Amino acid sequence: MNRNQPASVRPWHQTNWDWRAALNFLGGGTGTGLLIAAAFAGGAAYAGLALGALACVAFGLFWVWMEIGKPWRAINVVFHPQTSWMTRESLVAGPLFVVAIAAAWYGALWLVAGAALLAALFLYCQARILKASKGIPAWREPAIVPLVIATGLAEGTGLAIVALVATGNLATRWLIAALVVVLIVRDLMWRQYRRALARGGAPKGALDVLAGIDLPFSLVGNWGPAALLLAAIPDYAAANTLALIAGIAALGAGWFLKFTIVARAAFNQGFALPALPIRGQGKRVAGTKPGWEKPAQG
Amino acid sequence: MTRWAMAIDLRACVGCQTCTTACRHANATPPGVQWRKVLDVEQGEFPDVKRTFVPVGCMHCSDPPCMHVCPSTATKQRPDGIVTIDYDLCIGCGYCAVACPYQARHIVHEREFAYDDAPSKSEDARFDEKRMSVATKCTWCVDRIDDGLAKGLKPGVDPEATPACVNSCIANAYTFGDLHDPESNVSKKVDSTEWFRMHEELGTDPHIFYVVDEK
């Protein structure tokens, strides 16, 4: 393959969604994960956690609003629920804010459960937004859906622990155990996502970016904090400090992961010629797909 | 029912970019935006090198991912297969651009000029505020097609009713017409040649056929 292939043929990094779009996935994932974690373990701190979660979601939506070309027409985003996951996300956002604020105010169990359910729906919509982006191989891979959901839950649970400890509360053993589980699941989903991308073939640029974060993400973001949390469970005296560190690592690694996927690994499809034209006496030669890593064997 | 389609004979294309220029002239696209561009693809190692020119743009897919993801319904598909954008509805979110596997969509946020810091007379006269900060792309010169049909002309045969890129091609590499009409130029071309469609494996059912050989 010719290494001097013009950039316009090889996949190149998309330029339509930048760090502002990434912030929507950061804020939305963390906020909804926090709302879900708060529903299970918020206790007396539920109201504060829920409002913090909504602030995260609003932060993400604010930045995506700042990115669109016609912000004063933003209401048009709700016109296509039949097939658009962006519309569905925006339609879930309204009830999410109403129900979560009501849950924070009244504390009724059915409102808390409703807010958690809407948060889960919002998180699912975010994951599907990426999967529906057919022009970006690293996003359209179906394995991105469980990965985005798992990291949202890990970020939210991590932030719940950080918020509880920082405000003088105790991180419950239940919450600590939950974070261990979601960190392990997140790492498994990350591995599954990378395997699936390699199996199907992907732009080399995207695979290189993802390979570059593998070790720090897994070690510092998943296994390191999981080990800290496991150490914390039997020694409850040290639990809060260890859980605080683990929570920060879980949260930061999730942001690092999503920022990388959205803003650094988003190489487009590029162009390919499955067959080359036969001119005159020319003989048939293999086609070309510049800038792609062939699908992994086996 | 009509289904417009295009065939591009890669054996004939010489990479002169006349189609690109004709498109820019017909559609007044700003600098840097080419609804029809021609890729220069090199394959092999010296001395066994092949060079192929590949005109690309919106493929007017039958299953267009851009339309499915569009949250505002600005992107639509007409019954004749042409994918359109309603500039009054589009919010410029760019979702269609990341959903399109053909890099066919463009969003321009700031006005730029070809030669100077100020617009030429032509640029001023043809500037369309509606196309700022919204998605734009090739329309297969839909206005020419509709106007031509209204005058009883045949797109793909009568130049007045045919996309500018097709008219301009010096090598006659382009063929345009109704794929559902077995007697149309494009149907005959597709029936008599070997061809591929770009990224067909993605299931978009694109409607530009790249001709590579006789059958």
Side-chain angles (χ1 to χ4, degrees):
Chain A
M1 191 168 289
N2 191 337
R3 281 173 301 168
N4 298 319
Q5 207 61 249
S8 61
V9 180
R10 292 169 171 274
W12 66 94
H13 201 278
Q14 61 84 23
T15 54
N16 291 287
W17 284 6
D18 59 17
W19 57 271
R20 291 168 292 185
L23 287 182
N24 181 39
F25 290 99
L26 266 60
T30 300
T32 50
L34 177 57
L35 209 47
I36 294 166
F40 287 99
Y46 177 81
L49 292 178
L51 293 177
L54 291 181
C56 290
V57 176
F59 174 80
L61 292 174
F62 169 76
W63 281 111
V64 83
W65 182 69
M66 290 295 285
E67 180 158 51
I68 66 174
K70 299 283 188 187
W72 302 115
R73 290 183 194 168
I75 191 65
N76 293 4
V77 78
V78 300
F79 288 174
H80 202 196
Q82 295 90 338
T83 58
S84 175
W85 285 98
M86 189 179 276
T87 296
R88 292 168 184 170
E89 181 204 44
S90 64
L91 288 175
V92 172
L96 172 69
F97 276 84
V98 172
V99 174
I101 289 171
W105 185 262
Y106 295 108
L109 188 60
W110 67 274
L111 284 171
V112 170
L117 184 64
L118 287 166
L121 275 175
F122 188 93
L123 183 57
Y124 182 67
C125 289
Q126 284 212 324
R128 293 300 299 266
I129 284 174
L130 289 176
K131 182 178 173 286
S133 304
K134 214 166 214 173
I136 311 295
W139 295 357
R140 69 170 180 242
E141 166 52 50
I144 202 163
V145 174
L147 176 63
V148 168
I149 292 171
T151 192
L153 293 175
E155 293 156 29
T157 312
L159 183 55
I161 289 175
V162 171
L164 285 173
V165 173
T167 53
N169 294 292
L170 287 176
T172 61
R173 279 201 168 93
W174 193 96
L175 202 55
I176 289 172
L179 184 54
V180 172
V181 171
V182 289
L183 285 173
I184 292 169
V185 170
R186 179 166 79 173
D187 202 76
L188 292 175
M189 293 304 107
W190 163 244
R191 269 158 224 298
Q192 176 181 294
Y193 167 71
R194 287 196 60 219
R195 265 200 310 273
L197 264 186
R199 200 165 45 235
K204 192 173 179 314
L207 293 176
D208 287 348
V209 167
L210 296 173
I213 68 161
D214 182 43
L215 192 63
F217 174 66
S218 273
L219 207 60
V220 182
N222 295 329
W223 294 110
L228 279 181
L229 291 166
L230 286 173
I233 290 176
D235 181 9
Y236 206 61
N240 270 0
T241 309
L242 294 175
L244 180 68
I245 296 167
I248 291 170
L251 178 63
W255 288 351
F256 177 55
L257 170 72
K258 281 193 288 196
F259 187 84
T260 302
I261 289 175
V262 175
R264 291 180 56 219
F267 285 76
N268 62 26
Q269 182 77 20
F271 294 96
L273 292 179
L276 295 187
I278 313 297
R279 299 188 189 97
Q281 298 299 310
K283 59 181 189 294
R284 200 165 288 264
V285 293
T288 179
K289 196 172 185 180
W292 273 68
E293 196 83 355
K294 284 179 186 169
Q297 299 297 313
Chain B
M1 176 65 74
T2 300
R3 204 323 172 180
W4 301 119
M6 186 177 273
I8 302 174
D9 195 331
L10 297 183
R11 299 168 302 175
C13 180
V14 295
C16 66
Q17 313 264 0
T18 306
C19 54
T20 304
T21 307
C23 173
R24 291 204 57 202
H25 177 69
N27 295 293
T29 56
V33 173
Q34 297 172 351
W35 288 355
R36 167 75 61 232
K37 66 178 173 183
V38 182
L39 305 176
D40 183 345
V41 184
E42 285 181 25
Q43 161 83 335
E45 297 289 340
F46 178 83
D48 189 15
V49 178
K50 289 236 173 208
R51 193 173 180 200
T52 309
F53 300 104
V54 187
V56 294
C58 176
M59 304 279 166
H60 295 277
C61 308
S62 286
D63 192 11
C66 55
M67 181 180 74
H68 296 316
V69 302
C70 175
S72 67
T73 65
T75 295
K76 294 184 178 74
Q77 187 164 42
R78 302 183 352 157
D80 60 11
I82 294 179
V83 177
T84 60
I85 302 171
D86 184 336
Y87 299 140
D88 291 327
L89 276 180
C90 179
I91 61 172
C93 66
Y95 197 9
C96 56
V98 293
C100 172
Y102 306 104
Q103 294 84 54
R105 290 184 165 240
H106 308 267
I107 302 178
V108 172
H109 296 287
E110 286 174 16
R111 218 178 147 190
E112 287 181 26
F113 313 109
Y115 299 109
D116 245 325
D117 290 340
S120 65
K121 278 185 185 173
S122 163
E123 283 175 319
D124 240 357
R126 304 190 68 194
F127 175 68
D128 184 358
E129 178 67 40
K130 277 188 173 183
R131 298 207 310 204
M132 295 304 293
S133 294
V134 295
T136 69
K137 68 167 190 70
C138 158
T139 65
W140 272 350
C141 293
V142 67
D143 295 341
R144 294 167 76 103
I145 291 175
D146 288 349
D147 196 45
L149 286 171
K151 291 176 181 168
L153 302 175
K154 194 166 187 179
V157 175
D158 297 305
E160 204 182 327
T162 301
C165 55
V166 180
N167 287 335
S168 71
C169 181
I170 62 165
N172 207 20
Y174 283 86
T175 312
F176 184 81
D178 178 7
L179 197 63
H180 290 173
D181 172 6
E183 295 305 311
S184 72
N185 291 343
V186 78
S187 290
K188 287 178 179 169
K189 189 82 174 178
V190 167
D191 287 346
S192 64
T193 55
E194 283 190 19
W195 44 261
F196 69 84
R197 295 188 291 174
M198 187 72 73
H199 306 324
E200 196 168 13
E201 71 280 8
L202 296 178
T204 54
D205 197 8
H207 269 64
I208 292 182
F209 297 79
Y210 291 102
V211 173
V212 291
D213 200 3
E214 291 303 311
K215 245 182 187 163

